[in-house]
């Protein structure tokens, strides 16, 4: 009986250690260093928008060459409605801009609590390019991303 208790105790300790290791690994995956630069969209609506300057880059063509007409970046959207039950939640969305077609494609959107705790990720059923109007909030964000890319062309090229 004494050996059985020791074996059970040992198995429980291994289970606890494995659980801590699993949590540490999942937290490590979410420790990407972001450098959010806010979009200047004037007196907006209920959200603030920003993009990550640490990960913005140009896309690559199938042949491996750099395509400077497509910009890949991450966009953060923060809910600022004080009366909302989800006050200050935010999302991070994987985005692509097509400069020639003045369009944007939204990919996976990950949701986080106001305390940076991951909640879930929505993956679009299909990806499509959406044409943006220059005088809309999307158009203002589009213009600022393109201006940033032109000003930091060498950085975006090196990351592609």
């Amino acid at each position: 009986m004494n050996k059985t208790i020791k074996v059970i105790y040992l198995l429980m300790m291994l289970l606890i250690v494995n659980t801590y290791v699993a949590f540490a690994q999942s937290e490590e995956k979410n420790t990407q260093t972001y450098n959010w630069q806010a979009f200047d969209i004037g007196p907006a609506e209920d959200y603030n928008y920003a993009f990550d300057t640490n990960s913005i880059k140009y896309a690559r063509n199938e042949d491996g060459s750099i395509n400077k007409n497509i910009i890949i970046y991450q966009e953060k959207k923060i809910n600022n409605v004080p009366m909302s039950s989800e006050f200050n939640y935010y999302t991070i969305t994987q985005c692509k801009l097509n400069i020639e077609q003045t369009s944007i494609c939204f990919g996976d959107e990950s949701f986080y609590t106001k305390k940076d705790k991951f909640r879930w990720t929505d993956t679009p059923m299909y990806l499509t390019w959406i044409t943006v109007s220059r005088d809309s909030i999307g158009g203002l964000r589009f213009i600022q991303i393109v201006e940033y890319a032109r000003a930091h062309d060498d950085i975006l090229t090196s990351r592609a």
Side-chain angles (χ1 to χ4, degrees), residues 26-109:
S26 67
E27 287 296 320
E28 186 176 305
K29 290 178 184 176
N30 293 329
T31 59
Q32 177 179 353
T33 303
Y34 296 105
N35 185 26
W36 297 112
Q37 180 171 320
F39 289 110
D40 180 16
I41 54 176
E45 47 186 78
D46 302 330
Y47 299 99
N48 288 336
Y49 297 91
F51 68 97
D52 179 27
T53 61
N54 287 343
S55 63
I56 187 170
K57 64 182 180 179
Y58 292 122
R60 288 203 174 261
N61 295 318
E62 289 181 15
D63 65 0
S65 61
I66 296 173
N67 184 346
K68 292 189 177 187
N69 289 316
I70 308 261
I71 302 169
I72 300 170
Y73 72 99
Q74 295 183 93
E75 182 173 278
K76 184 176 187 179
K77 179 173 80 171
I78 304 168
N79 178 3
N80 291 318
V81 181
M83 300 305 287
S84 169
S85 63
E86 298 294 326
F87 177 59
N88 272 345
Y89 80 86
Y90 67 92
T91 64
I92 297 177
T93 306
Q94 306 301 314
C95 303
K96 289 184 182 181
L97 293 183
N98 186 320
I99 296 172
E100 288 180 332
Q101 297 177 358
T102 317
S103 58
I104 188 168
C105 181
F106 297 105
D108 289 353
E109 182 176 26

